[in-house]
Amino acid sequence: MIFYFSGVGNSAWVARQLATMLNDRVVSIAEEIRTDVDYALSPDKQVGFVFPVYGWEPPKIVLDFVRKMKLSHAPEYLFFVCTCGDDTGKTADVFMSALKAKGWTCHASYSVLMPDTYVCLPGFDIDGEDELKRKTDNASARVDFIGEE
């Protein structure tokens, strides 16, 4: 089961690519956050999270979802993938702390560089054409690598 949150579509794309490779299903955090669902896991199933980096951390909705969600048992294997324009900041530390509070262990974490979309502060700008092409070309190979891992 791969839980994802996506603001502009980059993380949704990564989650769907991984789900196809891993023969798994995707679950939208934005849709599930309003429900009180207990997720049943089979012993051999992994749990993944895919989300963008917001202000060098996981988005608040992702952290709220992790705090709220219930699994039938702790996952045997748990991973996460964050998408970012340039830098992941403290994303891994913050997310692993949220998992640890649930008693869960993160077994692997990855990042995928995607086109920059953050323009809210001075000095931040979207990528130029060359950088945009480089990031999109490399994203597929990076997701393939993560799926193989």
Side-chain angles (χ1 to χ4, degrees), residues 1-5 15 18-19 22 24-29 41 45-51 62 65-66 69 71 75 77-82 95 99 104 106 108 110 146:
M1 200 174 311
I2 300 174
F3 297 94
Y4 78 94
F5 172 74
L18 286 173
L22 302 173
D24 215 334
R25 70 182 185 114
V26 294
V27 177
S28 169
I29 290 172
L41 292 180
K45 275 301 193 184
Q46 63 196 4
V47 172
F49 292 89
V50 180
F51 53 84
V62 173
F65 181 75
V66 168
M69 74 183 296
L71 297 174
Y77 185 82
L78 190 148
F79 71 94
F80 78 89
V81 180
C82 59
F95 193 68
L99 296 175
W104 302 339
C106 182
Y110 304 93
I146 294 167

Side-chain angles (χ1 to χ4, degrees), residues 50-95:
V50 180
F51 53 84
V53 173
Y54 280 8
W56 297 290
E57 293 186 351
K60 182 179 181 317
I61 190 173
V62 173
L63 296 173
D64 290 347
F65 181 75
V66 168
R67 285 183 198 105
K68 178 183 173 180
M69 74 183 296
K70 296 178 187 128
L71 297 174
S72 57
H73 58 275
E76 286 287 317
Y77 185 82
L78 190 148
F79 71 94
F80 78 89
V81 180
C82 59
T83 60
C84 61
D86 291 308
D87 192 336
T88 62
K90 294 275 191 186
T91 301
D93 293 340
V94 172
F95 193 68

Side-chain angles (χ1 to χ4, degrees), residues 10 13-15 17-18 21-22 50 79-84 88 108-114 134-149:
N10 292 336
W13 177 82
V14 170
Q17 295 297 110
L18 286 173
M21 292 176 68
L22 302 173
V50 180
F79 71 94
F80 78 89
V81 180
C82 59
T83 60
C84 61
T88 62
S109 64
Y110 304 93
S111 62
V112 178
L113 284 179
M114 297 296 272
R134 182 184 70 77
K135 285 181 178 178
T136 54
D137 287 350
N138 290 339
S140 289
R142 178 70 175 156
V143 172
D144 287 346
F145 168 80
I146 294 167
E148 290 296 321
E149 287 285 301

